[in-house]
Amino acid sequence: MIWLTWRQHRRQALFTLVTLGVLALIVVPTGLAMHTKYDSSGLAACQAALGKAPMITQTEAVSNCASLAHQFEQKFGNLVYVAVLFVILPVLVGVFFGAPLVSREVEQGTHRLVWTQGVSRAHWALVKFGLIGAITAVLAVGYALGVSWWFGPLVSTTSRLGYFAFDVQGVVPVVYTLFALALGVFAGTYWPKVLPAMGIALVGYAVVRVAVELFARPRYLPPQSYTYAPDSTLTPNPAAGDWVMDQGIRNAAGEMVLPNAQVGPCGPAGCGDTGAGPGAYNWVEYQPGARFWTFQGIETGLFAVLTAALVFFAIRRVRTLA
């Protein structure tokens, strides 16, 4: 069974290795350039000196650090669009590896021959799903490590918890990939034609990922908040890596009067009129950057459960296919 499974999917495996090789030709040179510039420009040392506190005193060092970060983003900011490609890579595994795994056998009728050769359906499914899953996991780990290294300097100027940044770093790319594979296999057991199964896998993956991204992740843990007066010498720490979810200017009664606005710190001439009246203050709601690995663990567990459920129901379905 292992030899047969390898023979059936070796072209897909070769195509995957070639694709990863092409991506490496992009990631390695640009990653080395980013890491070199990040260190040589002084940005790395500057951010390390600022620490991770959400608020710090406004100093010349803070301004210099912000200026270095802006220059770095201007030089390498366009590479964020490459990160979009890395975000969609897992779903391609589900579409081109997972969906045809069962649906092609059923569509071509070869499943009747395979399952009458002394190999039970459960044994066939476990070997097929297990081998493809193991290969996918190994490749996904390599991909996740490479992309995390590549994206590190660029995301240091924003937040690792933000959109795109969180999705291509840490361990979640691995579980996204396994979830996409399991979803494709599941779709192929219920829609016994390859193209519909591929379409269901694509749409299903997009719906689940968007729902988790927009509605679940911001609520994994209650957000924190801080306030500071417009004339305060304090300022948000640009090196904290916090995920700012909402901000604005509130009046003395605590009512939001200017959403998505911040005032301060003020110079010798004062802050001027914010339009919010006396006692107005800046308000920021955020998820601390230090929660990155906690959120990674929560989301990994969530998708691991979904993956296990999809595999379980796919195997049950295989055992009842005509």
Side-chain angles (χ1 to χ4, degrees):
M1 272 298 299
I2 295 177
W3 177 83
L4 176 62
T5 302
W6 168 250
R7 290 275 297 180
Q8 287 180 316
H9 299 283
R10 59 184 179 179
R11 288 186 180 179
Q12 292 167 302
L14 179 60
F15 175 76
T16 302
L17 289 174
V18 170
T19 302
L20 291 176
V22 172
L23 290 176
L25 294 177
I26 300 173
V27 166
V28 173
T30 55
L32 290 173
M34 281 195 292
H35 279 268
T36 300
K37 183 66 175 179
Y38 182 64
D39 292 330
S40 64
S41 66
L43 180 57
C46 174
Q47 290 185 325
L50 293 183
K52 297 298 182 182
M55 296 288 292
I56 55 177
T57 303
Q58 176 69 29
T59 63
E60 185 177 350
V62 175
S63 300
N64 290 338
C65 198
S67 176
L68 289 173
H70 179 68
Q71 294 172 20
F72 187 84
E73 289 174 355
Q74 281 191 317
K75 184 174 180 63
F76 297 105
N78 289 335
L79 291 177
V80 170
Y81 297 108
V82 179
V84 177
L85 174 63
F86 295 136
V87 169
I88 66 174
L89 274 180
V91 71
L92 300 182
V93 174
V95 170
F96 293 105
F97 275 72
L101 200 62
V102 176
S103 61
R104 179 176 290 128
E105 298 273 9
V106 177
E107 183 176 20
Q108 296 176 351
T110 55
H111 66 295
R112 297 187 181 92
L113 175 63
V114 171
W115 295 338
T116 57
Q117 300 300 309
V119 177
S120 68
R121 296 184 181 205
H123 179 70
W124 178 90
L126 288 172
V127 172
K128 289 277 266 189
F129 299 172
L131 182 60
I132 299 301
I135 294 174
T136 299
V138 171
L139 294 176
V141 168
Y143 147 79
L145 290 173
V147 177
S148 293
W149 167 81
W150 172 79
F151 209 49
L154 191 59
V155 79
S156 70
T157 62
T158 54
S159 171
R160 292 198 297 171
L161 288 170
Y163 302 120
F164 294 136
F166 185 88
D167 302 331
V168 298
Q169 293 197 97
V171 295
V172 292
V174 178
V175 76
Y176 291 160
T177 306
L178 293 176
F179 167 73
L181 179 67
L183 180 60
V185 172
F186 174 79
T189 62
Y190 280 85
W191 287 269
K193 291 187 180 295
V194 175
L195 290 180
M198 295 171 75
I200 293 296
L202 177 62
V203 173
Y205 180 86
V207 169
V208 173
R209 281 294 313 280
V210 170
V212 170
E213 191 113 357
L214 297 181
F215 303 110
R217 188 184 302 160
R219 297 171 176 82
Y220 287 159
L221 291 174
Q224 297 182 2
S225 64
Y226 58 79
T227 61
Y228 60 103
D231 59 353
S232 172
T233 58
L234 296 177
T235 186
N237 184 356
D242 297 331
W243 181 19
V244 176
M245 307 178 69
D246 196 7
Q247 62 180 342
I249 299 176
R250 295 180 179 268
N251 60 21
E255 300 170 333
M256 179 72 74
V257 291
L258 290 174
N260 300 315
Q262 297 284 284
V263 177
C266 305
C271 290
D273 184 11
T274 64
Y281 58 90
N282 294 310
W283 171 83
V284 178
E285 185 178 63
Y286 70 103
Q287 291 285 0
R291 291 179 173 177
F292 174 77
W293 286 110
T294 302
F295 277 37
Q296 285 268 321
I298 294 172
E299 194 149 316
T300 296
L302 172 62
F303 276 93
V305 170
L306 291 174
T307 300
L310 288 169
V311 171
F312 172 76
F313 287 113
I315 292 176
R316 285 190 60 181
R317 177 62 177 168
V318 165
R319 298 177 69 177
T320 62
L321 282 173

